[in-house]
């Protein structure tokens, strides 16, 4: 009889969905940062976003992850509002 196909560290459905949400926020953050007119500001914001996401990559506490998702969404919305006002 063959063993299970899933790797030992397979994500649960809830973890998978949460991971997809985080990746979506990261992509949207980078897309929004590309709209910043000043290249120096773009680089600063891109580096900041990458550092924040990398720093929190190993987080495992579900409550902490939910809080970080909320904070990331707030930062993204604030950046989008700032860009809209600057136009």
């Amino acid at each position: 009889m063959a063993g299970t196909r899933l790797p030992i560290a397979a994500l649960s459905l809830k973890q998978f969905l949460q991971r997809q949400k985080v990746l979506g926020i990261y992509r949207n953050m980078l897309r929004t940062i590309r709209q910043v007119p000043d290249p120096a500001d773009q680089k600063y914001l891109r580096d900041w976003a990458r550092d924040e996401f990398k720093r929190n990559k190993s987080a495992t506490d579900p409550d902490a992850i939910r809080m970080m998702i909320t904070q990331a969404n707030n930062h993204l919305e604030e950046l989008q509002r700032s860009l809209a006002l600057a136009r």
Side-chain angles (χ1 to χ4, degrees), residues 7-20:
I8 294 172
L11 298 175
S12 70
L13 177 61
K14 186 174 184 178
Q15 291 169 324
F16 175 79
L17 293 174
Q18 201 168 48
R19 181 176 187 272
Q20 292 306 109

Side-chain angles (χ1 to χ4, degrees), residues 50-66:
R50 285 181 179 159
D51 290 344
E52 285 297 309
F53 278 84
K54 280 183 185 178
R55 187 168 56 87
N56 295 311
K57 183 179 179 179
S58 60
T60 56
D61 180 29
D63 292 333
I65 293 170
R66 276 195 300 274

Side-chain angles (χ1 to χ4, degrees), residues 11-87:
L11 298 175
S12 70
L13 177 61
K14 186 174 184 178
Q15 291 169 324
F16 175 79
L17 293 174
Q18 201 168 48
R19 181 176 187 272
Q20 292 306 109
K21 186 183 292 188
V22 170
L23 291 174
I25 293 169
Y26 182 68
R27 283 187 210 103
N28 285 337
M29 185 83 68
L30 292 180
R31 280 187 204 113
T32 303
I33 289 170
R34 273 189 244 134
Q35 297 173 12
V36 172
D38 182 31
D41 289 341
Q42 270 187 17
K43 181 177 176 1
Y44 172 79
L45 289 169
R46 189 174 49 247
D47 290 345
W48 169 80
R50 285 181 179 159
D51 290 344
E52 285 297 309
F53 278 84
K54 280 183 185 178
R55 187 168 56 87
N56 295 311
K57 183 179 179 179
S58 60
T60 56
D61 180 29
D63 292 333
I65 293 170
R66 276 195 300 274
M67 181 191 70
M68 287 184 270
I69 288 172
T70 301
Q71 286 178 338
N73 274 324
N74 289 342
H75 287 302
L76 178 59
E77 289 172 5
E78 183 179 335
L79 181 58
Q80 289 170 338
R81 277 194 305 271
S82 296
L83 285 170
L85 288 173
R87 291 183 189 150

